[in-house]
Amino acid sequence: MAATEPGATRTDQPWWRHAVTYQVYVRSFADSNGDGVGDLPGITARLPHLRDLGVDALWITPFYTSPQHDHGYDVADYTDVDPLFGTLEDADELIARAHELGLRVIVDLVPNHTSSEHEWFRAALAAGPGSPERARYLFRDGRGPDGSEPPNNWHSVFGGPAWTRVPDGQWYLHLFDSSQPDLDWRHPEVGEMFEQVLRFWLDRGVDGFRIDVAHGLLKEATLRDQLGGEAEPEHPHAMVERTLRDEPMWDQPEVHDVYRRWRRVLEEYDGDRMLVAEAWTQTPESMARFVRPDEMHQAFNFAWLLAPWSARSFADVIEGTFAAVESVGASPTWVLSNHDVVRHPTRYGAGPTGLARARAATLTMLALPGSAYLYQGEELGLEQVDVAPEHRQDPAWLRSGPESGDPGRDGSRVPLPWKGSQPPYGFGPGTAEASWIPQPASWHAHTVAAQTDDPASTLEFYREALRARRTWAATAGERVSDLAVEGDVLRFRRGPLLVVLNCGPEVVPLPAGEVLVSSGELVPLDGSPADSEGTGVSRGLPTDCAVWVRVPPSR
Ligand code: GLC
C-alpha cells in the first residue's frame, strides 16, 4: 500500500489498524470508593489521563461477576459486573464517556474456562457423573485401579496437576487454577453461550474483545498424555515459556472454527468491531493462523516482548513478524508489558539502565507499522515491585509456592500512583493500608502529578512519542525498509523516519536530519561541540537510546 502523507487522515483503514491501546488492569488503575480495589467509576474518572497521553483505545481486564481467585479471569457471570467493580450502568457510563473522548473500548473475554462458581459448574457438580450438566466441562474418571490418579499427565499453567478430583470420584480439567474449570468446546451449548455473550457486549457498544487464552479452547479430543510431560515446567506461568514441545492441550486446529464464527458475528455490527488474541503459540506462523482474513483481527506479538535486549534479536522479531503476518494478509501488533509478565524496565536490567532501555524499546516499537499495546504504569516508568510474600495473591504463586523461586505476577499489578507524597498516592480515597497490594514508599517521584510538565520524565516522553507517532509514524505506510543491524545498532526506515536504536556501549553518530523524538538525551560527539541547530551532525546517540530522525525519502 502506498504511504500516506504525514498528517493526512486515513479513512481507508479500520480504527484498530494503527491504534495504540492502553491496557487497564481494573483492580489497580483507580479506586472510586476507597475499598482499595480499582473499579469502573475510577476508570471513567481517569479517562482524561488516557486522552492526554494520546492513546486511541483502552482494553479493560475482566470486571464481570467473579470470586476473584484469579482476579477476574475466573468468571461466574459473563453478562454482569462484579459489585467490587461497579454495576452495568457504570460500564455503560464508561463506554459512553470513552467514546465522547474519542477512545475505543476493548473488553476481555474469558472463554477457555469459567469460574467454579458459574451456574453451569455448580450444576455439573450437583448432577453427578454422566449427566448432561457435566458434559459442558471436561470431567473424566481417574486412572489406576481405584481411579485415584489424574486422567492424564497435564500440568496446570499455575503449577501442580491440571486435574482436581471431586467428592464422587471424578476429575475435572483446569489448565489454570482449580477454581477455573475448562469448558468442553466440543459441546454446542458452549459456543451458543459465548455468541450471546459477544452480542450482549457488542449491543452495549464495546469496540472489541481481547480473547483470553485464545489458543486453549480445544484440546486434543482423546485428552492423551503430553509427551515429555512427566517433568513439571520450570516457569510457574508456563505459557510464557516458548520451547517447542508436544502440546495436546494448546493450539489445536479446531479452535479456528470458533473464531470464524465470532468474526461473522462481529461483521453484523457497524464500526469495525475487532478481536485480539492472547495466544501464546510456539512460532510466528502459528500466531499468524489466528489472524487469517476470516478469523481475528489481531494477535498479541509476544515474540517482541520475549526478545532479549539486543539489536539482532529485535531485528529478527521484526523480520519474523512481518513474514508471518504478511503471509496471511494481516497486520502486526507490538507489546512490551502486560499484567502477566515482569515489567520491561525491570526485564532490561532495572534501575537507570533498565528505564533507558525500556524507553528506547518503546520508541522503537511506536515507529513500527501496525498497532501497539501499552500496559498501565509503563508511561510512568514503573518497575516490577518485589511484593512481600504475605501480600502476594496471584494463584500462580499460591499454587507454585516459594520453592518455585518465582514470586508470581503481583509485582506488575500494584495500584497506580496518581499524586501526593505517600501511599495510596491518589489511587483512591481509602487509606494506604486499604490498597489490595501495598505501593512502594519510593513511588512519590513516579506519580502522574510529579511527572506532568517535567520534560525529563517518562510520562512526558510517552506523551511526546505518542504525539510524534500520530504526526509521523501512523501515516508513514505499512512497511519498514532498510532494516539493518550494524554491531549493536538497529536501524530501519519507515516513510520519512529513520529509526536508530543503540543497544551497544559506544556513542553512535547521528545521521543528518531533523531529530523528531529521542528516548533519552543526545550527547555531543567526541571533539565536536553540542549542536543546537537541530541538524544532528555533531550529536551522537548514547548507549540504550533510540531516536527518530526525519530524513529525505529513500529511493
Ligand atoms: C491469561 C490472563 C492471565 C490469566 C490466565 C487465565 O493468560 O492474561 O492473567 O491468569 O489467562 O485466565
Side-chain angles (χ1 to χ4, degrees), residues 342-358 383-384:
V342 173
R343 285 183 176 276
H344 62 289
T346 310
R347 281 204 319 271
Y348 293 146
T353 299
L355 182 60
R357 291 178 173 180
E383 283 214 33
Q384 193 77 1

Side-chain angles (χ1 to χ4, degrees), residues 437-485:
I437 309 181
Q439 298 158 301
S442 60
W443 272 11
H444 56 90
H446 290 287
T447 64
V448 173
Q451 296 194 43
T452 294
D453 295 335
D454 171 359
S457 73
T458 298
L459 177 57
E460 291 299 347
F461 160 68
Y462 267 73
R463 287 177 175 157
E464 187 192 355
L466 288 164
R467 208 164 28 240
R469 176 183 163 99
R470 279 197 301 283
T471 310
W472 297 103
T475 51
E478 306 295 316
R479 314 187 71 92
V480 298
S481 60
D482 303 340
L483 181 74
V485 177

Side-chain angles (χ1 to χ4, degrees), residues 12 56 59 78 80 84 105 154 173 235 240 251 294 421 430 468 481 524 536:
D12 55 332
D56 304 293
W59 145 35
Y78 291 87
D80 205 353
L84 187 62
V105 180
W154 297 0
L173 179 73
H235 197 295
V240 178
D251 204 7
D294 58 348
S421 55
S481 60

Side-chain angles (χ1 to χ4, degrees), residues 25 59 70 73-74 110 113 158 176 180 210 212-213 237 239 278 280 339-340 394-395 409 413:
Y25 191 72
W59 145 35
D70 189 17
Y73 285 97
D74 46 326
V110 189
H113 42 264
F158 293 160
F176 294 88
Q180 295 165 299
R210 177 262 188 193
D212 190 65
V213 196
H237 194 239
M239 289 196 299
E278 186 221 18
W280 291 91
H339 65 294
D340 292 328
D394 179 4
R409 300 167 294 174
R413 302 172 174 185

Side-chain angles (χ1 to χ4, degrees), residues 508-522:
V508 175
L510 277 187
E514 181 193 354
V515 170
L516 295 172
V517 54
S518 66
S519 67
E521 234 175 283
L522 303 176

Side-chain angles (χ1 to χ4, degrees), residues 322-345:
F322 280 104
V325 296
E326 285 176 356
S327 73
V328 292
S331 60
T333 68
W334 312 96
V335 61
L336 288 165
S337 280
N338 66 37
H339 65 294
D340 292 328
V341 302
V342 173
R343 285 183 176 276
H344 62 289

Side-chain angles (χ1 to χ4, degrees), residues 234-237 342 392 394 396-397 400-409:
E234 275 169 26
H235 197 295
H237 194 239
V342 173
R392 293 182 193 157
D394 179 4
W397 156 262
S400 312
E403 60 283 359
S404 74
D406 187 309
R409 300 167 294 174

